Amino acid sequence: MTLDPTELITSDKNTTVKLVKALLSQARQRKKQGQTVLEGAHLIDAALRSDYPFVQILLAESARKHPEVQQILTRLPTYTSILTLSDALYESIRSLGTGIDIMAVITIPVPSLSLVDDDCLILNDVQDSGNVGTLLRTAEAVGIHTVLCTSATAQAWSPKTLRAGMGAQFALTIYESLSIQDILDFVQIPLLATSSHTDTLIYDHDLSDPVAWIMGHEGQGVCAELMQCATPIALPQPNGQESLNVAIAGSLCLYETLRQRHYR
């Protein structure tokens, strides 16, 4: 049922407002409800361009006349419900700073895992949402469409990861909460993992065929079980820095793969 967008919500006791506040702040609620929140016009535009369905739109009263908000509203399917909040109420629940005060509730996709025989990115317990979002954004940029996340990886569809990914999630198929055995059973292409304990430099390794790049935990790296099944690859660090940030390392690996195939 489409709600009347002119009806103004002012109470934080409103059922939808309480749900959205929980979805913005609690990973447990996002998992329980199977929903998340897109904040801001950019992410909503990314979802619209991907024809992604919305559960609900919420906007601040003062944002209704903003040109970008008006454009968004004209692009929504007619059945989309819209809730207008008082400025004070909207400000009390948002997690972003000042900006265009519009957000959307969406259902988190849960695709069924099948055999993977093309390029993919594996996130093995990468715990920082910013790192996960950056890696998703880089994967989308270089043309990798499949991302597999083990169980302790930060939620790919959390508001913070969505912001870091700049909407890349809508162009990817993302499998979450996977076990190590899931990875080993379903990924049918060679596993590669960065390591400081090898002499095989990335620039000397042939990346012309499909590969699965594994990026590991920020402190502990790729787990031993996956590392045993992967080819270790070194990123040269002539100045002796102990390690690279996982998002930087992953981006270098993905772009070297792209370079070898298309920009030799």
Side-chain angles (χ1 to χ4, degrees), residues 38 42-54 106 167 170:
L38 311 178
H42 177 88
L43 286 178
I44 293 174
D45 175 69
L48 284 168
R49 283 187 280 110
S50 300
D51 293 324
Y52 202 88
F54 297 101
I106 64 167
F170 296 107

Side-chain angles (χ1 to χ4, degrees), residues 121-144:
L121 174 64
I122 298 169
L123 304 185
N124 175 211
D125 297 356
V126 179
Q127 295 194 320
D128 181 80
S129 295
N131 285 335
V132 172
T134 299
L135 287 164
L136 296 180
R137 189 176 180 186
T138 305
E140 193 272 335
V142 302
I144 288 177

Side-chain angles (χ1 to χ4, degrees), residues 5-257:
T6 61
E7 179 185 352
L8 185 65
I9 306 300
T10 60
S11 172
D12 61 3
K13 302 297 189 290
N14 177 276
T15 303
T16 301
V17 170
K18 290 196 295 184
L19 172 62
V20 170
K21 189 173 183 178
L23 293 176
L24 282 167
S25 60
Q26 300 173 29
R28 178 176 56 84
Q29 284 297 323
R30 289 191 292 272
K31 196 165 186 177
K32 177 182 176 182
Q33 302 294 333
Q35 295 177 333
T36 191
V37 180
L38 311 178
E39 281 192 275
H42 177 88
L43 286 178
I44 293 174
D45 175 69
L48 284 168
R49 283 187 280 110
S50 300
D51 293 324
Y52 202 88
F54 297 101
V55 175
Q56 185 109 49
I57 294 286
L58 290 85
L59 54 90
E61 183 180 20
S62 62
R64 286 199 60 82
K65 294 183 180 180
H66 192 286
E68 287 190 57
V69 170
Q70 291 187 332
Q71 184 188 55
I72 286 170
L73 296 181
T74 61
R75 294 162 62 195
L76 292 172
T78 55
Y79 58 77
T80 307
S81 68
I82 302 169
L83 214 59
T84 302
L85 279 56
S86 68
D87 290 352
L89 179 58
Y90 190 99
E91 186 176 346
S92 74
I93 66 170
R94 71 184 182 194
S95 65
L96 286 178
T98 55
I100 302 174
D101 289 335
I102 185 170
M103 63 178 73
V105 179
I106 64 167
T107 299
I108 297 172
V110 186
S112 297
L113 185 60
S114 57
L115 293 180
V116 177
D117 58 8
D118 201 358
D119 292 311
C120 68
L121 174 64
I122 298 169
L123 304 185
N124 175 211
D125 297 356
V126 179
Q127 295 194 320
D128 181 80
S129 295
N131 285 335
V132 172
T134 299
L135 287 164
L136 296 180
R137 189 176 180 186
T138 305
E140 193 272 335
V142 302
I144 288 177
H145 303 296
T146 303
V147 181
L148 301 96
C149 304
T150 56
S151 56
T153 298
Q155 288 182 336
W157 294 89
S158 74
K160 186 175 180 180
T161 309
L162 280 160
R163 291 197 298 272
M166 296 291 285
Q169 285 88 337
F170 296 107
L172 301 169
T173 300
I174 304 171
Y175 302 96
E176 297 194 271
S177 300
L178 301 178
S179 67
I180 300 301
Q181 196 58 51
D182 288 332
I183 303 291
L184 297 177
D185 287 346
F186 285 90
V187 177
Q188 303 290 297
I189 52 178
L191 304 176
L192 303 181
T194 56
S195 171
S196 58
H197 306 295
T198 180
D199 295 326
T200 304
L201 295 179
I202 187 171
Y203 306 122
D204 299 328
H205 190 80
D206 183 4
L207 298 170
S208 56
D209 293 325
V211 295
W213 277 109
I214 310 171
M215 296 297 127
H217 182 279
E218 288 85 350
Q220 300 163 14
V222 175
C223 71
E225 194 174 354
L226 282 178
M227 202 71 198
Q228 289 171 0
C229 301
T231 299
I233 302 293
L235 292 170
Q237 299 177 66
N239 286 339
Q241 182 68 22
E242 182 181 349
S243 64
L244 292 172
N245 168 273
V246 65
I248 297 295
S251 297
L252 291 171
C253 294
L254 296 181
Y255 266 95
E256 175 58 16
T257 304

